[in-house]
Amino acid sequence: MAVPEKPGRTVRRARRLRRDMSPAEVALWCELRQRPGGLKFRRQHPAGPYVIDFYCAAARLAIEVDGGFHDRGDRSARDQVRDAWLAGHGVETLRIPATLVFRDMANVVAGVVAAADARLSLHHRPAAGGPPPQAELGEDD
């Protein structure tokens, strides 16, 4: 289980990770920042003790770009714990291999939009101004 962090520490780590995004994350961000499907995404979003690569608050969808290191050591088990923590807070995690981002960006973006749209049918689209803040997921004003 993750060790709880102070909110400020997670926010600082998220800011650092925004500056140090992987090439696959940068490539996907270039597409997601254009709001495909009319959806807004955040990059390196703090959520409790974790930092999510990309997050669509309206759909409560986390998108994780997994490089080769996710297959090594205990990383897979740690990812499962993280995904379970997010699921416990109503957030679904979509994992995308970094190699797929480079190989087939159009289908990756289409898949992200489809996953978000499927979640939006469970949660209606937010009114202007977005959903109310959710402190537990680091969604402050």
Side-chain angles (χ1 to χ4, degrees):
M1 186 136 182
V3 176
E5 287 190 20
K6 294 181 180 178
R9 183 180 223 181
T10 304
V11 169
R12 283 192 302 276
R13 189 162 40 98
R15 287 179 182 149
R16 181 177 36 84
L17 289 171
R18 284 183 202 120
R19 290 188 303 267
D20 300 329
M21 291 171 57
S22 73
E25 291 171 342
V26 170
L28 184 55
W29 177 239
C30 286
E31 298 297 321
L32 295 180
R33 73 187 307 185
Q34 295 177 32
R35 297 185 179 211
L39 299 165
K40 179 180 178 182
F41 294 89
R42 300 173 184 164
R43 65 185 170 130
Q44 304 302 335
H45 178 71
Y50 302 106
V51 178
I52 301 168
D53 289 346
F54 303 102
Y55 181 62
C56 178
R60 300 185 60 82
L61 178 67
I63 298 100
E64 289 292 315
V65 178
D66 291 344
F69 71 94
H70 281 268
D71 298 330
R72 294 188 215 138
D74 70 339
R75 190 66 209 181
S76 179
R78 289 172 51 196
D79 286 345
Q80 289 176 358
V81 169
R82 169 194 178 110
D83 293 352
W85 186 92
L86 290 169
H89 288 81
V91 176
E92 180 180 330
T93 303
L94 176 64
R95 293 196 166 274
I96 302 169
T99 55
L100 188 58
V101 170
F102 293 120
R103 190 175 48 221
D104 196 0
M105 179 66 80
N107 278 329
V108 166
V109 172
V112 168
V113 170
D117 282 342
R119 300 263 310 157
L120 285 172
S121 66
L122 303 174
H123 313 281
H124 41 83
R125 284 195 182 260
Q134 296 181 358
E136 187 73 20
L137 288 174
E139 295 181 22
D140 46 2
D141 298 320

